[in-house]
Amino acid sequence: MSFTGKYELQSQENFEPFMKALGLPDDQIQKGKDIKSISEIVQDGKKFKVTVTTGTKVLHNEFTIGEECEMEMLTGEKVKAIVQMEGNNKLVANLKGLKSVTELNGDIITNTLTMGDLTYKRISKRI
């Protein structure tokens, strides 16, 4: 299954408490909570390019399944990570105490971020 496509955020759960726990300032959290971000994914075999645009903020990450890479977090911090694929529709990465699971089902992509006992869930639809 190919992840390639553009996805618009439809809903999210626990945005504010999760962003606070990450250390984002309140003004950034308030600005970002109602913006429908657009995620663009380009998959070429095991290589991925992911661009997430939220208002004026653009987050860009590239990785190859199973190889160490540098990824930019929501805070702007760059961390080393290895992204693994489970089955043919799930990407899993551990970034500095944060677990990211991205699952594709048809035209719906669900991204779940877990840090300790806090979970932040984003559901986006292919556009």
Side-chain angles (χ1 to χ4, degrees):
M1 185 178 290
S2 175
F3 281 80
T4 298
K6 269 189 176 182
Y7 303 87
E8 183 180 34
L9 182 66
Q10 300 296 304
S11 66
Q12 54 188 0
E13 296 166 17
N14 276 344
F15 175 78
E16 289 183 61
F18 196 85
M19 295 305 143
K20 275 191 169 103
L22 275 181
L24 281 175
D26 283 346
D27 62 324
Q28 270 189 5
I29 293 170
Q30 291 308 314
K31 270 193 248 171
K33 72 176 184 175
D34 296 320
I35 297 174
K36 297 285 187 206
S37 65
I38 303 285
S39 302
E40 186 169 3
I41 302 172
V42 178
Q43 179 183 358
D44 180 11
K46 288 185 164 196
K47 290 184 193 288
F48 284 77
K49 288 181 186 172
V50 180
T51 306
V52 181
T53 306
T54 309
T56 56
K57 184 165 175 49
V58 179
L59 197 64
H60 181 76
N61 285 308
E62 292 186 31
F63 58 89
T64 301
I65 298 297
E67 293 180 15
E68 187 177 74
C69 64
E70 189 175 78
M71 296 189 90
E72 186 179 348
M73 297 195 35
L74 298 165
T75 55
E77 182 182 0
K78 297 200 185 285
V79 295
K80 299 264 184 229
I82 297 175
V83 181
Q84 301 291 355
M85 186 169 277
E86 291 181 6
N88 66 349
N89 70 331
K90 195 183 283 188
L91 300 171
V92 180
N94 286 295
L95 320 146
K96 201 181 159 197
L98 181 80
K99 183 177 184 183
S100 170
V101 178
T102 304
E103 190 169 358
L104 180 65
N105 286 306
D107 284 339
I108 303 293
I109 206 161
T110 305
N111 181 229
T112 308
L113 299 171
T114 308
M115 184 171 56
D117 57 0
L118 253 186
T119 299
Y120 167 47
K121 189 174 186 180
R122 298 166 43 93
I123 298 171
S124 301
K125 187 171 195 253
R126 195 184 298 261
I127 52 175

